[in-house]
Amino acid sequence: MTLESELLKALAGGASAHELRALSTRETTADSLAAPMALGQALQIRQHLDDLAERERSLVQLSDSVRELAGLDAMDSVLLSIVSRSRRLLMADVAYFLAFDQDTAVASMMVSEGILSDAFANLQVPPKEGISGLIAASRKPSWTADYMADDRYRHNAVIDSATREEGLRAILGVPVLRAGRVVGLLLAADRRAHDFLPQDVELLFSLAQHAGILIENATLHQAGLQTVERLEEAVQSLRASEAATATIMDFQDRLFALLMTKGSLNDLAQLVRETLGGTVIVGDEEGRLMARAGAAQTPVEEGFGWTIERIGIDTAPMGFVAHLGEPMQVPVGAADQRQILARAATVAALLVSKLQADLSTVRERSVELIGELLREPASDRVPMLQSGLPVDIHSLGTVLIAQAPAKSQLMRSAQQRADREGGLAAPFRDAVLLWLPSQKVREAARNAAEALADLTGAPVTVGGASLLDGPGSLATAANEAVHTLRALLALGHEGTGAHSSDVAPFPAIMANNTPDELRTFVRETLGTLLDYDTRHGTDLAATLDQVYASGSNATVAADALFVHTNTVHQRLARIDQVTGENWRDGNVAMRRQLALKIRALMDHPMGRDPATHSTSVSTSTAKGKAS
């Protein structure tokens, strides 16, 4: 058998190149010169068969990869699978995918496998720089056996440094195209120098083409999912809007019904709570509670989670409606919640306006009634005025006279207190009269002084008296309360409340003597001292008053007068010299102390002759007399 026959038989049996060479050395033929030619031809056939087998293997792997990639939807999963498959199919050390920015032409590392260095893992490739820049610009594959030694590429110091740190030498890269545009670059590299076979290039390029299609599909799929999500959100929003609209319309109908049935602010607060849940509060312009529905005790402020809508008519503030929702319980959105509160605030403004009008009518009638009782208790107008009030005046047995620096503010505060206690209030001379249900006068006066001071922000002094003979004795009780008030002020007890018995005997003295008699008593007791003060510009009377107020203690009096103790002693000696009487004498001291207090009371605005002042409680008349 000839060598050619043996070689053909061996090739048919799948002999390798090594086995063919071994066979040619064993066989001997007559035509020994033809042996090398026959072996060469056999080796070429073997190489061609090997290439075909390798191509078939690559195509099978590529087909498997495409089928695997086709089952992926998420972009990250697609890219990771592409890179991983590229590395395995080419048996490369590393593989990576660079995303390509259409606007800046910069390629950025996005997914990699096998990369060890941070510098290469965060690679940014400028336009036309390195092998990646060339591939992106040309839209064609490119490969090199040793990148660092290849001068076909535009080398960049940063890229070269990262490549050197990673130790890469042989690099193969192809563009990933989508709709004719470069969307990325797929590369595989080894840390040894070697040539890439044409089938390696073809394999990576084919994988990149399929990857481009899959990336486009993944992008479209993701866009489709986002569109579906937006549509679902739009549908949910529409449904929520329809539900909110229905809620608002129902609330509007119930508000109308509340107005028609003359509902209260408490009814309104409960209606808002039934619609929104949580806690609802209606307050006035000063923050005081007018109505509440719900149990939350959080301070009504924006920062504490409250939604607040102001109440007002023609920009005039009247209060607010506030809502504090329970977590996850408010059935409508913030805008709809605000709309509901705005409508509630509009109705609240109407209700408050009506209440204020009614209250104003009651207060005006109260003022008229009290004025009529003070002027003429038996007047025919009294029963008529009483019939329009929500208060039975026969149950009112406590009379208080209150005075403070700001009379108008005191009047408003007194009316609020009278409303709460079921009484009446009216202006009275330079003060305010409070007519309240029967109670302990001393306690009522003290409580009123404290409460009114809190409301007005200033000290309020209150004198009190009991109504002994029904509404007809109102003027008598009011005068007694005035005397008590004057005594409190004269005795330095501003900002307190008391019954006449607490400041005896001053009220009795005031009530049982005429102003002329009181002035005569003061003149007879202090005239010599007062004349001396007038002639010499001294104030010995004030020094003596302070000494008596200090319990005859000259040191305490000196501190109060801001002088030395010796000065007080010198003034007391001068008083004895001027008056001819010892200031310490018991009877003298009592008469002088009483005269000094009466003088102070007479000088005080409340101490003017009651006979010279009308007891009318008309606001305008009272202001005119006071001026």
Side-chain angles (χ1 to χ4, degrees), residues 99-108 124-128:
F100 185 74
D101 191 312
Q102 299 291 330
D103 297 327
T104 63
V106 174
S108 306
Q124 297 276 336
V125 180
K128 299 182 180 180

Side-chain angles (χ1 to χ4, degrees), residues 16-72:
S16 66
H18 177 71
E19 291 172 336
L20 292 175
R21 289 190 181 91
L23 179 60
S24 66
T25 57
R26 293 198 307 271
E27 296 293 336
T28 59
T29 65
D31 190 4
S32 60
L33 294 176
M37 183 179 297
L39 177 61
Q41 291 174 343
L43 290 175
Q44 288 179 358
I45 294 171
R46 177 73 272 166
Q47 182 63 46
H48 183 65
L49 291 173
D50 288 343
D51 290 345
L52 289 175
E54 177 62 25
R55 181 175 179 79
E56 180 183 7
R57 181 184 62 80
S58 297
L59 290 174
V60 170
Q61 292 180 336
L62 177 61
S63 178
D64 292 341
S65 297
V66 170
R67 282 197 297 271
E68 179 182 334
L69 292 172
L72 300 176

Side-chain angles (χ1 to χ4, degrees), residues 16-326:
S16 66
H18 177 71
E19 291 172 336
L20 292 175
R21 289 190 181 91
L23 179 60
S24 66
T25 57
R26 293 198 307 271
E27 296 293 336
T28 59
T29 65
D31 190 4
S32 60
L33 294 176
M37 183 179 297
L39 177 61
Q41 291 174 343
L43 290 175
Q44 288 179 358
I45 294 171
R46 177 73 272 166
Q47 182 63 46
H48 183 65
L49 291 173
D50 288 343
D51 290 345
L52 289 175
E54 177 62 25
R55 181 175 179 79
E56 180 183 7
R57 181 184 62 80
S58 297
L59 290 174
V60 170
Q61 292 180 336
L62 177 61
S63 178
D64 292 341
S65 297
V66 170
R67 282 197 297 271
E68 179 182 334
L69 292 172
L72 300 176
D73 291 330
M75 182 70 72
D76 291 343
S77 299
V78 170
L79 294 178
L80 183 60
S81 183
I82 289 172
V83 169
S84 180
R85 278 296 176 134
S86 299
R87 184 186 182 198
R88 293 204 307 273
L89 289 177
L90 296 179
M91 293 180 289
D93 292 332
V94 301
Y96 50 98
F97 178 88
L98 300 176
F100 185 74
D101 191 312
Q102 299 291 330
D103 297 327
T104 63
V106 174
S108 306
M109 183 69 72
M110 190 170 181
V111 179
S112 65
E113 186 173 282
I115 297 298
L116 302 177
S117 66
D118 290 338
F120 205 86
N122 298 305
L123 191 63
Q124 297 276 336
V125 180
K128 299 182 180 180
E129 299 286 338
I131 185 172
S132 299
L134 179 61
I135 295 170
S138 66
R139 298 188 181 184
K140 296 179 181 180
S142 183
W143 60 93
T144 176
D146 192 348
Y147 173 77
M148 298 302 297
D150 198 331
D151 57 6
R152 292 179 301 157
Y153 307 110
R154 183 187 297 176
H155 285 266
N156 173 292
V158 175
I159 298 175
D160 286 356
S161 175
T163 303
R164 193 178 296 109
E165 182 178 345
E166 189 62 37
L168 300 182
R169 301 186 68 183
I171 303 176
L172 166 61
V174 296
V176 178
L177 304 173
R178 182 166 67 92
R181 296 180 295 110
V182 177
V183 297
L185 306 165
L186 182 61
L187 299 99
D190 287 312
R191 295 187 176 89
R192 58 184 178 83
H194 67 85
D195 289 326
F196 287 96
L197 299 175
Q199 55 264 37
D200 294 334
V201 179
E202 184 179 355
L203 178 62
L204 191 61
F205 188 70
S206 298
L207 188 59
Q209 286 180 308
H210 287 289
I213 296 172
L214 293 172
I215 289 173
E216 182 176 12
N217 290 340
T219 302
L220 293 174
H221 180 69
Q222 186 65 29
L225 290 178
Q226 292 175 352
T227 300
V228 171
E229 289 178 359
R230 286 195 295 270
L231 288 174
E232 290 178 349
E233 290 175 358
V235 170
Q236 292 297 328
S237 177
L238 181 59
R239 290 174 178 170
S241 177
E242 291 176 350
T245 300
T247 298
I248 293 173
M249 292 301 294
D250 177 68
F251 179 73
Q252 184 72 35
D253 292 342
R254 298 176 70 185
L255 277 180
F256 183 75
L258 184 146
L259 283 174
M260 291 299 97
T261 57
K262 299 181 179 180
S264 66
L265 288 173
N266 281 319
D267 295 331
L268 176 65
Q270 184 60 38
L271 175 56
V272 177
R273 184 173 187 270
E274 290 173 0
T275 304
L276 297 179
T279 297
V280 179
I281 286 178
V282 182
D284 64 13
E285 66 273 19
E286 296 180 5
R288 292 185 293 264
L289 180 69
M290 292 193 290
R292 170 192 287 274
Q297 299 297 321
T298 308
V300 182
E301 296 180 19
E302 295 280 2
F304 287 89
W306 290 91
T307 301
I308 301 174
E309 190 70 28
R310 301 295 171 183
I311 301 173
I313 294 180
D314 297 331
T315 71
M318 302 171 68
F320 62 88
V321 177
H323 173 251
L324 179 65
E326 299 170 355

Side-chain angles (χ1 to χ4, degrees), residues 366-380:
S366 300
V367 169
E368 290 186 41
L369 174 63
I370 291 174
E372 196 70 18
L373 286 170
L374 291 174
R375 284 191 299 271
E376 188 178 352
S379 168
D380 294 339

Side-chain angles (χ1 to χ4, degrees), residues 259 265 282 285 290 311-314 316-319 345-361:
L259 283 174
L265 288 173
V282 182
E285 66 273 19
M290 292 193 290
I311 301 173
I313 294 180
D314 297 331
M318 302 171 68
T346 300
V347 173
L350 296 175
L351 295 177
V352 171
S353 179
K354 178 67 167 57
L355 286 173
Q356 289 178 343
D358 294 343
L359 192 60
S360 178
T361 300

